[in-house]
Amino acid sequence: MFRIGIGYDIHKKSINRPLYLGGLKISEKNGLLGHSDADIIIHTICDSILGALSKGDIGEHFSDKDIKNKNKRSEYFLKKIMKIMKKDSFEIINLDSTLICEKPRLSRYKNKIRKNIAKILGIKVDAVSVKATSSESLGIIGEDRAMACKTIILLKKNEKN
Ligand code: ZN
């Protein structure tokens, strides 16, 4: 049995916060505002897995009102969600993420990010796609005041014999 899920997220940019993408620190400044480390790619992966499982969203599992989740690295949330997925006997077949931002240009980091996501998820690098697009100077993303991300994922249930 296969299940697909989608995740969407948007965060405001913040000059004084580090930028985390796909579990990696990309820069010390020009990061994203958020309760956790605001790793927008990891957040959409979390939501895509939960979506495929019909198990709510990241905010239901890890409230931004909960002090415990403040400044947490998002890998922590993803690892907890993977436990839920594995308990239901699902594995990841592949995922495809698209980051929408003006800066930084991601071509330099895309492969590093793919490798790191594959490592966190324990899957092959060729099962992880990370793409980037700009917003052509349009709207809040085009003005470099926010960053958005979308991830789609395919899960497969391993039936017990
Ligand atoms: Zn988020």
Side-chain angles (χ1 to χ4, degrees), residues 98-130:
T98 300
L99 198 68
I100 308 133
C101 67
E102 297 302 301
K103 285 183 209 160
R105 291 283 170 202
L106 278 167
S107 43
R108 276 174 56 199
Y109 308 107
K110 272 193 288 193
N111 266 325
K112 273 190 200 162
I113 292 171
R114 284 178 69 209
K115 281 183 193 154
N116 199 55
I117 292 170
K119 195 175 96 188
I120 298 167
L121 297 172
I123 58 177
K124 288 183 180 161
V125 180
D126 71 4
V128 179
S129 160
V130 174

Side-chain angles (χ1 to χ4, degrees), residues 8-11 32-44 47 58 74:
Y8 170 76
D9 199 11
I10 184 163
H11 281 254
L32 298 171
L33 216 56
H35 191 69
S36 65
D37 64 3
D39 189 325
I40 196 164
I41 300 183
I42 300 284
H43 289 181
T44 60
D47 260 355
I58 187 172
S74 297

Side-chain angles (χ1 to χ4, degrees), residues 22-88:
L24 296 176
K25 193 193 260 184
I26 301 295
S27 63
E28 289 295 336
K29 286 191 172 226
N30 294 313
L32 298 171
L33 216 56
H35 191 69
S36 65
D37 64 3
D39 189 325
I40 196 164
I41 300 183
I42 300 284
H43 289 181
T44 60
I45 296 172
C46 288
D47 260 355
S48 68
I49 295 172
L50 289 170
L53 297 171
S54 300
K55 292 226 151 115
D57 56 52
I58 187 172
E60 282 173 43
H61 289 264
F62 307 99
S63 170
D64 61 6
K65 309 269 185 300
D66 193 335
I67 193 82
K68 275 202 314 261
N69 298 325
K70 192 158 172 61
N71 293 324
K72 269 255 158 63
R73 291 296 302 276
S74 297
E75 269 179 73
Y76 166 85
F77 309 132
L78 182 53
K79 283 179 178 159
K80 292 252 179 193
I81 288 166
M82 281 170 65
K83 274 194 187 143
I84 297 170
M85 180 187 83
K86 284 179 181 162
K87 210 173 149 206
D88 279 6

